[in-house]
Amino acid sequence: MMAFNFGQDRTPIGLFTEDDEERERLEISPEEIVESQADILGIKVIPNKTEREAASALSLMNEELSKIPLDQKRCYVDAVEKCTNEVNNEKRMAFLWREDFDAKRAAARLVKYWEKRKELFAERCYLPLTLRILEDEIPLISTELFHLLPSKDSSGRAILSINMSLRDKSKNSVESVARVLWYFFHCLIEDLETQKRGFVLFVTGKHSKYNNFDPSFIFAMREFERDCFPIRCACAHVCHPRPFLRALLPVMKYVAGRHWARVFFHSGSDQVVMENLRAFGIAQENIPAHSGGRLAHDHAQWMCDRLQIEEQRKQCAGTNVTAAAFDVQEGELHRAEKRAKRSHDSTPHEGKSAPVALLDFNLMML
């Protein structure tokens, strides 16, 4: 059974009270408040780094990695030996961006990242994370529990959507959901701007039931973002929360900790929710139709596109990988933009239906 570490110095989850929440709020420094507000509004200033500055930061990070005892970085050392491309300077830069170029923290996060990656994927962790590696999780991926919205918010941040009504605990284990979430996080950090600016989490509770709520899943997401993954959640929007969530707020507050101030709930009619999101830079055209928006997201086609991209990257391995990967990603963005334009109204896509697109995907996997 997968274990998630949430720290031992906090009040047990069942006893997390309003007093505890107030105590944590008072512990937040003025600097943290300013940074939080800048993240929420999408106005955080991201400093540019010259090649010389980046090279210097990478050198300092390598020094910090060398100081970590071998028994504490075994998985990382194995990764260096078995999959050099997965720990190259381009990949390490994501950890520096995540830690605001603090080399010591970036090195510690990189080591924790490989420990968790090994825990999630066992020996598969040393392979590039692709849909083929996640073959057993393809049915879960195809449910659209998670998906990346094709357009960013007005501040240029990627948006990860979660449809909680599709979380079926009877069919998918916490471990499977955690692996799929990890994969989508990897899709996010392929974009350099997302490494710098973070991403926005869009959660819809519309049509969800009490059985769809899964604390373990929320714990996993928080641990990944807080402790080991080179990505930052700038803010979260929970739309159409169901009434039972009120009873579960202590759980959610406990998990979020100091990040609770970055979580926003939007209730009311679709029109009211869309107006609220617009104030945060998320247009109705970029919100899935099932949540009141106008985006008819073709998730099955997205999976086909991802598989094709990953196959092209595999073929490019050993040649000009950086340039080839850039060309491939540009192609993915171009296709996503075209699909977004076609789906600005909520009418169904012309052409292939979702089942047909999934059939195409299954044939490509053979």
Side-chain angles (χ1 to χ4, degrees), residues 12-80:
I13 188 168
L15 303 177
F16 195 67
T17 65
E18 292 184 2
D19 290 339
D20 295 314
E21 181 184 352
E22 178 66 12
R23 174 176 52 80
E24 287 203 344
R25 187 186 67 80
L26 293 175
E27 290 175 354
I28 300 176
S29 67
E31 293 77 13
E32 286 180 284
I33 294 175
V34 171
E35 180 182 6
S36 176
Q37 289 299 315
D39 263 340
I40 291 167
L41 299 174
I43 58 175
K44 182 177 181 179
V45 177
I46 308 297
N48 291 321
K49 297 292 181 181
T50 65
E51 289 187 10
R52 178 176 295 182
E53 289 173 326
S56 176
L58 285 167
S59 178
L60 290 173
M61 183 179 175
N62 288 336
E63 290 180 15
E64 294 296 337
L65 284 166
S66 68
K67 297 176 184 177
I68 300 175
L70 180 61
D71 62 334
Q72 296 179 21
K73 59 180 179 182
R74 186 72 261 176
C75 295
Y76 163 74
V77 171
D78 289 344
V80 172

Side-chain angles (χ1 to χ4, degrees), residues 12-168:
I13 188 168
L15 303 177
F16 195 67
T17 65
E18 292 184 2
D19 290 339
D20 295 314
E21 181 184 352
E22 178 66 12
R23 174 176 52 80
E24 287 203 344
R25 187 186 67 80
L26 293 175
E27 290 175 354
I28 300 176
S29 67
E31 293 77 13
E32 286 180 284
I33 294 175
V34 171
E35 180 182 6
S36 176
Q37 289 299 315
D39 263 340
I40 291 167
L41 299 174
I43 58 175
K44 182 177 181 179
V45 177
I46 308 297
N48 291 321
K49 297 292 181 181
T50 65
E51 289 187 10
R52 178 176 295 182
E53 289 173 326
S56 176
L58 285 167
S59 178
L60 290 173
M61 183 179 175
N62 288 336
E63 290 180 15
E64 294 296 337
L65 284 166
S66 68
K67 297 176 184 177
I68 300 175
L70 180 61
D71 62 334
Q72 296 179 21
K73 59 180 179 182
R74 186 72 261 176
C75 295
Y76 163 74
V77 171
D78 289 344
V80 172
E81 295 174 353
K82 297 180 180 180
C83 53
T84 306
N85 286 338
E86 293 297 306
V87 288
N88 59 24
N89 285 342
E90 183 181 353
K91 298 293 176 63
R92 296 184 191 200
M93 279 296 297
F95 292 86
L96 285 167
W97 281 115
R98 174 62 178 83
E99 296 293 355
D100 294 325
F101 279 74
D102 184 309
K104 185 175 183 178
R105 294 206 310 261
R109 180 174 288 269
L110 176 60
V111 168
K112 290 179 181 178
Y113 165 89
W114 278 102
E115 289 177 355
K116 181 57 66 174
R117 181 161 163 166
K118 178 67 177 294
E119 180 183 336
L120 285 170
F121 297 96
E123 291 304 313
R124 292 183 297 166
C125 75
Y126 302 116
L127 298 172
L129 294 181
T130 65
L131 289 171
R132 288 194 181 279
I133 296 301
L134 287 167
E135 187 173 2
D136 293 340
E137 277 76 36
I138 291 301
L140 173 58
I141 296 174
S142 66
T143 64
E144 208 170 337
L145 171 63
F146 305 104
H147 69 265
L148 302 182
L149 300 187
S151 299
K152 298 180 178 181
D153 71 358
S154 60
S155 300
R157 298 175 298 188
I159 305 173
L160 175 63
S161 173
I162 300 179
N163 186 344
M164 289 306 300
S165 69
L166 299 176
R167 173 66 179 113
D168 189 340

